[in-house]
Amino acid sequence: MHSHALVETQDVGAGTRIWAFAHVCDGVRIGRDCNICDHTFIESGVSLGDRVTVKCGIYLWTGVACEDDVFLGPNVVFTNDSRPRSRMRPDAYPQTLVRRGASVGANATVLPGVTIGRWAMVGAGAVVTRDVPDHALVFGNPARRRGWVSHAGHPLRFDAAGAATCASSGRRYVRTPPDGDSVTEVTD
């Protein structure tokens, strides 16, 4: 931990790096081998899995959880109150979940209560107003599905039967139904 970081929680996994001017509140859980960059704020109740990268300028508010292997690009914005008013707090904050392996690009905004699916990719500057399916590529305002990506982040091109192979890794995927909104990896 950097000498200029303020870390109030004791629940930080081995190998995690927390850089200068980061503030991590008590009640935060941070997994192993994470990288928490400069000028970040993590509020009580946030949970980060293992190998999560939180780039500079990100504030993670109560109700946000990131599973293992998540990447949050610079200045990603999370919100946790759908009807914000000064000095008026909700009884409970909606849960916002970023599933395993998902990436959220720089300056994207994620509204409260949204789930970003496993291995999904959110483009830079996107405004995420609803759930994102596993392996979906979304961008725009509001964010819309524009394609599908593999575990490696490469575009998937599905044939008429709903099958695709990642050009980088050779992993195979199936889309169900063949023109549907569900993509899973084929395992033998």
Side-chain angles (χ1 to χ4, degrees):
M1 287 179 229
H2 194 280
S3 62
H4 294 317
L6 175 58
V7 181
E8 299 172 315
T9 186
Q10 299 300 310
D11 198 358
V12 177
T16 288
R17 295 175 310 227
I18 301 176
W19 295 96
F21 312 112
H23 182 173
V24 181
C25 295
D26 190 33
V28 171
R29 185 212 166 270
I30 300 176
R32 293 177 287 113
D33 299 316
C34 294
N35 190 25
I36 311 300
C37 293
D38 297 350
H39 301 283
T40 55
F41 176 79
I42 306 177
E43 192 173 44
S44 297
V46 169
S47 175
L48 303 177
D50 297 335
R51 299 169 304 281
V52 172
T53 297
V54 179
K55 297 304 276 183
C56 299
I58 296 176
Y59 305 134
L60 298 173
W61 307 108
T62 299
V64 174
C66 297
E67 294 181 350
D68 297 344
D69 305 305
V70 165
F71 176 85
L72 303 176
N75 299 304
V76 167
V77 174
F78 286 89
T79 61
N80 70 349
D81 191 342
S82 298
R83 296 172 187 83
R85 295 283 191 225
S86 180
R87 299 186 178 268
M88 297 175 70
R89 295 190 176 107
D91 294 331
Y93 292 100
Q95 296 299 299
T96 301
L97 177 61
V98 184
R99 303 296 308 264
R100 181 170 188 219
S103 294
V104 183
N107 295 305
T109 298
V110 181
L111 296 188
V114 168
T115 295
I116 297 173
R118 293 173 192 88
W119 308 104
M121 185 166 297
V122 176
V127 178
V128 182
T129 61
R130 59 183 175 214
D131 291 351
V132 175
D134 293 352
H135 293 282
L137 168 64
V138 300
F139 54 89
N141 181 4
R144 302 231 187 272
R145 187 179 52 75
R146 310 299 176 130
W148 302 99
V149 294
S150 69
H151 287 73
H154 292 276
L156 293 172
R157 310 274 186 248
F158 289 92
D159 62 22
T165 301
C166 174
S168 170
S169 68
R171 286 178 156 176
R172 295 178 299 132
Y173 298 85
V174 63
R175 186 173 171 187
T176 52
D179 62 348
D181 279 337
S182 178
V183 171
T184 54
E185 183 179 9
V186 176
T187 56
D188 295 324

